Amino acid sequence: MTPPDTLKFSSQCQATNNFVVRFANTNGTGSASANNMFAKAILRMGIPVSAKNIFPSNIQGMPTWYEVRISEDNFLARRGGNSEIVVAMNAQSLKEDICSVACGGFLLYDSSRALTEDDIRADIQYLPIPISIICQKEYKDPRQRQLFKNVVYIGALAALLNIEFDVLKSLVADQFKGKDKLITPNIYALELGYQYANQHFTCPLSIKVERRDLINNRIMVDGNTATGLGAVYGGATVVGWYPITPSTSVIEKFSSYCDRLRIDPATGKKNYALVQAEDELAAIGIAIGAGWNGARAFTATSGPGISLMSEFLGLAYFAEIPVVLVNVQRAGPSTGMPTRTQQSDIIACAYASHGDTKHVLLFPQDPTECFEFSALAFDLADQLQTPIIIMSDLDLGMNDHLTEEFSWDDNKSYNLGKVLTAQQLDDIENYGRYKDSDGDGICYRTLPGTHPEKGAFFTRGTSRNEYAGYTEKSSDYVHNMERLLKKFDTASQIVPVPEINQGHKLAQIGLIYFGTSAHAIAETKTQLKDHGLAADTLRIRAFPFNDAVSEFINNHQLLFVIEQNRDGQMRSLLINEQEISPEKLSSIANCDGLPMTSTFIVQGVLDKLSGDYSAKQVS
Amino acid sequence: MSFIKSKFHHPRIPTNDLGLNYRDYEGSLSTLCAGCGHDAITSAVVQACFELSVPPHQVAKMSGIGCSSKSPNYFLNKAHGFNSVHGRMPSVATGANMANRDLIYLGMSGDGDSASIGLGQFSHVVRRQLNMLYMVANNGVYGLTKGQLAATADKGVTNKAGELSLFTDIDLCIMALQLGATFVARSFSGDKKQLVPLIKAAISHQGFAYIDIISPCVTFNNHKDSTRSYDYVHEHITTAAIADFVPMKKEITSDCASGEGEDICLHDGSLMRIRKIQDDYQTTDPMQAIVDIAKYKKKGEILTGLFYLDPTATHYHEINNTCDMPLNQLTQDALCPGSRVLTGINNSFR
């Protein structure tokens, strides 16, 4: 069945630099790198863009989607809803993909196989390109036939959407730098698509891009790369790790940067040790052993890895050992949806392990903060002698984000915390590992091998007195537990402060959010304004909470805690830790595994105002 | 039982090359049961470290959980110790070793800690070729929880409460041999003459050294039917060769005269001098060692001694090509690439 040539009715989508392109592919076909090239081309034309890779937990053969949002208003969260243009390359998901085209939008598809009658919608325009047939004719090698299909449709999109062809050519040159033989064939494939579209369709379409200069100093990068790089800058030398999606690339990026930046120039030897452990227990055990011995050490994990690491987190909390844990959250519980995003480990991490424990959490919103918090976490871990958990998520970690460029102050020195040298030990008469001599709950530690006579102690997960001696004396135990609480209070004064946005005259509504929900906030405020509503905002950047959080809550009448889980975990943590009355905080919680949208937040606010809010909706 | 450790020592107590005496290597007073095999191991570790003139603060004592894992508290008070979580000493020791390759890592574990909850970590630390001495005080029973059967208990024995061991025992020496340990030995806590030279050689060994030490539990596994009781072990222990450790700096005056045995030269120039009792004894073939262990076991005997030693062993840092300076001593200058490099990295994301 051949679809009609042009859309008969008049409501064709019209948009310049403000639309969504959705790619539907089969995973394992190399589509992600081609789609990424598409997003980057938009970036290089100076137009703000975001890309979400919605992929399965599978290596080959299952449906995968890639959503590119182009927004010169800088609204870079997932928009949600249907897309102005869908590139349908996967027969398995074709029906669903046709449905996902917005009314008046476009469907670019591989017409090598004819559509059925069911596939025809009257309210969209079809852009048939016989991509398989073209590639079959042009290439002999089956893998090339597959890979170049992706490049052909990117070429076609360039013509259809008015993307500058030279920008694509420069991207190909960058991508295959060092593998120069691949440049010409890729550009040829782009041209095949470009020419075909130009010859068969009216180009550009009514949705298109136009060059702007709106990027400034921003870069486009994923959060895991930023976190890995931050660990290099923060001075991490020992890593224990176990592969798990979506955290794996934190370590891979750390490793590849170390290959470049951490090789001793004189000897060619490594200034780091990366140990792939047998499981997550060992991964954090390695990081803790190294932290105990004075190296900056970390591990990264996701989902089940957090459960497995909990016992060790309790040890590091109680024995007071610096360690950094990067948690790239995914949808749980159990194996859950391993390739979907969530912020659902808040409670599990804040109180990880049995007994009374509390951990310091950092909540980066974008790759820039991933970089900064990753480096900062090592200072905080050393200062506080406790685990620091960086709460990233799959969307932040694995998707490319437009973000402020990374910066580093060369004058800033690492803060290694209270570690005694041999000389300092000589000057102390009566050293006690767990003596709070400064009144901030943080005691002085010593490292093995420091002093031949003084400062050695037995580190343990059992209760001990100020001199690290084993004790079951209630008063010693209570004294120690109270001191740990005091230390946690000290932590609240040195962790990143919340980001508050409010005018002199406070709005009635207060939105509390953290992490990747931040991307939807500017758009949310604009949409609320359309409804005649104003909102002040507070972005939580760390736990323990700073006093400013309670103040913000006290100053607002109608408060919403926006998060990406089912149970409103951050809301619970606020209620529990800041002694806030539960009715004061409403929950806007999305747990569908996809990045937060402004539509969902606005709907949550409106529903609450109209009194019929249901937490169970799906974005 | 005493509650306060005496600090008294003879004024002319011998000192080692560092000018330290035996008592400088001791730890806190043991809280283990009187007659516990583990205390004899403690005393062997103290003697070995003293005789080797190991600077006590250059040792890191690593352990998990259990009676055996409490032992590091009873030796080398001037060394830092880390009593971690149950079965996880190998990973903590790995991290510590990564951070500072210059210290001596003494791991102390038990059969529950290494053969049950920590079997995975045990296997992988062997495989990882960590430069450490890993000791297991093997008594076939859970002491701290009062007498349950351990995975190293022989099949068919009963514990003190009369419970029968129904399943095949795990032999950690065989596992270590199979997984590539480069120094593997078994000894008996009651045989200090054998144990001390083994510990000294294992400390001098640059690579992963494993010593399985039969260490009877006087309280829960010293009954008539036990195959880990003092009586049983004394009656059934056998050794294929006697090994003596000759340190690099000492002139060779060991019990066994030269020519009688075979010398194995260790990394630091020390010698392991072997006097064979069985003609077919060898230390060069780990697979043959496995066969020998099994052969004696079949006869109801416990074979002890040095099973395998690869004097050319390598270890994790050599394989990893880690820099010579301990990683925990690298300064910010060596670690942080700085803002100039970051500019280039930023440009790669445009």
Side-chain angles (χ1 to χ4, degrees), chain A residues 343 346 512-514 517 561-572 587-591 596 600:
Chain A
Q343 299 173 320
I346 311 296
I512 298 172
Y513 63 98
F514 60 96
S517 300
V561 185
I562 298 157
E563 50 193 312
Q564 301 172 42
N565 53 57
R566 184 189 67 183
D567 295 341
Q569 296 189 20
M570 183 62 88
R571 176 178 173 271
S572 299
S587 183
I588 297 182
N590 172 46
C591 71
M596 183 65 96
F600 185 85

Side-chain angles (χ1 to χ4, degrees), chain A residues 8-54:
Chain A
K8 294 290 183 288
F9 77 116
S10 57
S11 65
Q12 205 172 49
C13 290
Q14 306 276 339
T16 302
N17 295 344
N18 184 21
F19 58 93
V20 173
V21 187
R22 183 174 167 93
F23 298 88
N25 301 93
T26 310
N27 84 321
T29 59
S31 59
S33 62
N35 298 342
N36 182 262
M37 185 162 76
F38 172 83
K40 221 150 181 190
I42 310 294
L43 171 79
R44 288 205 181 171
M45 286 179 67
I47 309 158
V49 61
S50 73
K52 308 281 181 211
N53 190 8
I54 300 158

Side-chain angles (χ1 to χ4, degrees), chain A residues 383-425:
Chain A
Q383 280 175 274
L384 294 163
Q385 302 173 11
T386 199
I388 306 291
I389 309 178
I390 299 171
M391 304 291 284
S392 179
D393 64 36
L394 182 141
D395 175 30
L396 177 51
M398 292 190 72
N399 285 322
D400 276 352
H401 297 266
L402 195 58
T403 191
E404 290 302 316
E405 66 177 7
F406 305 142
S407 65
W408 185 260
D409 177 3
D410 289 322
N411 296 317
K412 203 176 156 285
S413 298
Y414 294 161
N415 187 337
L416 301 174
K418 300 180 184 179
V419 182
L420 295 174
T421 62
Q423 174 128 39
Q424 287 170 318
L425 271 168

Side-chain angles (χ1 to χ4, degrees), chain B residues 112-133:
Chain B
D113 204 48
S114 285
S116 287
I117 189 169
L119 191 62
Q121 294 225 338
F122 172 78
S123 309
H124 285 271
V125 75
V126 180
R127 210 184 140 238
R128 204 177 279 141
Q129 309 278 17
L130 198 72
N131 186 12
M132 74 176 297
L133 163 57

Side-chain angles (χ1 to χ4, degrees), chain B residues 29-341:
Chain B
L29 192 70
S30 172
T31 60
L32 299 171
C33 307
C36 176
H38 302 0
D39 284 336
I41 299 172
T42 291
S43 132
V45 170
V46 169
Q47 190 182 333
C49 290
F50 164 69
E51 289 178 4
L52 273 181
S53 295
V54 168
H57 74 294
Q58 294 294 324
V59 174
K61 307 175 290 183
M62 315 303 293
S63 66
I65 294 292
C67 291
S68 56
S69 294
K70 290 166 78 169
S71 302
N73 207 15
Y74 314 136
F75 56 80
L76 269 59
N77 246 357
K78 290 173 184 169
H80 278 67
F82 196 155
N83 191 190
S84 62
V85 290
H86 201 15
R88 317 295 172 212
M89 175 271 277
S91 63
V92 178
T94 299
N97 188 303
M98 291 305 106
N100 187 350
R101 60 184 295 172
D102 284 354
L103 301 181
I104 293 165
Y105 294 89
L106 296 185
M108 186 75 201
S109 183
D111 38 31
D113 204 48
S114 285
S116 287
I117 189 169
L119 191 62
Q121 294 225 338
F122 172 78
S123 309
H124 285 271
V125 75
V126 180
R127 210 184 140 238
R128 204 177 279 141
Q129 309 278 17
L130 198 72
N131 186 12
M132 74 176 297
L133 163 57
Y134 194 118
M135 291 174 282
V136 165
N138 180 354
N139 55 17
V141 75
Y142 284 73
L144 267 183
T145 51
K146 304 195 173 178
Q148 298 79 9
L149 289 159
T152 56
D154 290 324
K155 187 175 176 181
V157 300
T158 47
N159 68 3
K160 200 176 173 184
E163 189 191 348
L164 186 66
S165 178
L166 298 169
F167 307 108
T168 308
D169 68 292
I170 290 173
D171 188 316
L172 292 173
C173 280
I174 290 178
M175 284 195 69
L177 287 161
Q178 197 271 326
L179 291 165
T182 49
F183 182 115
V184 180
R186 176 169 285 138
S187 190
F188 171 43
S189 63
D191 186 358
K192 220 171 166 185
K193 209 169 162 197
Q194 183 192 51
L195 183 55
V196 173
L198 285 173
I199 293 174
K200 283 154 80 175
I203 289 174
S204 303
H205 179 67
Q206 294 293 302
F208 185 84
Y210 176 67
I211 308 180
D212 191 74
I213 307 163
I214 309 289
S215 176
C217 174
V218 286
T219 307
F220 294 109
N221 205 7
N222 205 24
H223 50 281
K224 197 167 70 55
D225 300 335
S226 166
T227 55
R228 294 286 181 276
S229 67
Y230 277 111
D231 286 349
Y232 184 92
V233 176
H234 272 302
E235 283 160 23
H236 295 85
I237 199 163
T238 183
T239 186
I242 292 166
D244 195 16
F245 178 79
V246 186
M248 175 181 54
K249 281 169 274 174
K250 291 269 160 65
E251 57 178 306
I252 297 170
T253 55
S254 78
D255 285 354
C256 82
S258 174
E260 236 184 277
E262 177 197 344
D263 287 344
I264 306 171
C265 185
L266 301 174
H267 264 85
D268 62 358
S270 320
L271 297 178
M272 199 62 183
R273 173 150 291 175
I274 312 283
R275 182 154 51 94
K276 291 182 183 182
I277 291 171
Q278 306 291 336
D279 283 344
D280 56 353
Y281 175 77
Q282 55 82 39
T283 59
T284 53
D285 181 354
M287 294 307 130
Q288 186 56 46
I290 291 173
V291 172
D292 292 342
I293 293 168
K295 192 173 78 188
Y296 279 88
K297 195 177 149 102
K298 214 168 181 181
K299 292 194 281 183
E301 290 179 38
I302 303 166
L303 184 66
T304 61
L306 179 66
F307 295 146
Y308 177 63
L309 171 57
D310 175 5
T312 64
T314 182
H315 59 80
Y316 189 95
H317 284 296
E318 287 175 359
I319 298 163
N320 183 55
N321 201 25
T322 321
C323 64
D324 297 335
M325 181 181 273
L327 292 175
N328 68 353
Q329 285 161 35
L330 293 173
T331 61
Q332 188 169 348
D333 288 343
L335 298 175
C336 183
S339 63
R340 202 178 51 82
V341 172

Side-chain angles (χ1 to χ4, degrees), chain A residues 90-230:
Chain A
N90 185 355
Q92 281 177 84
S93 60
L94 185 64
K95 296 232 178 303
E96 187 185 334
D97 295 329
I98 291 170
C99 292
S100 73
V101 182
C103 175
F106 302 87
L107 180 83
L108 191 165
Y109 71 102
D110 184 354
S111 58
S112 309
R113 226 168 87 180
L115 298 177
T116 65
E117 201 167 336
D118 294 353
D119 296 331
I120 306 302
R121 265 174 70 180
D123 62 340
I124 63 171
Q125 183 170 337
Y126 288 79
L127 305 167
I129 304 180
I131 299 175
S132 295
I133 292 171
I134 293 172
C135 288
Q136 191 83 10
K137 207 177 81 193
E138 296 286 339
Y139 305 102
K140 285 199 177 66
D141 174 52
R143 183 66 186 158
Q144 279 194 341
R145 281 177 179 163
Q146 180 57 59
L147 286 173
F148 283 121
K149 273 195 213 174
N150 306 316
V151 185
V152 169
Y153 71 67
I154 299 293
L157 284 175
L160 291 164
L161 300 176
N162 199 31
I163 296 168
E164 294 167 20
F165 201 77
D166 282 349
V167 167
L168 283 172
K169 276 186 4 192
S170 74
L171 275 165
V172 169
D174 287 357
Q175 192 177 335
F176 297 106
K177 211 172 177 177
K179 300 177 210 159
D180 292 1
K181 269 201 294 198
L182 294 173
I183 295 176
T184 314
N186 270 281
I187 290 176
Y188 179 69
L190 283 173
E191 271 167 353
L192 286 174
Y194 193 82
Q195 300 301 348
Y196 189 94
N198 260 329
Q199 284 159 18
H200 294 82
F201 313 114
T202 314
C203 292
L205 302 173
S206 56
I207 56 165
K208 59 180 187 299
V209 294
E210 260 173 32
R211 182 171 274 280
R212 295 284 187 270
D213 185 15
L214 298 169
I215 303 301
N216 302 322
N217 282 331
R218 286 182 290 179
I219 55 176
M220 193 149 133
V221 64
D222 62 273
N224 284 356
T225 298
T227 307
L229 183 64

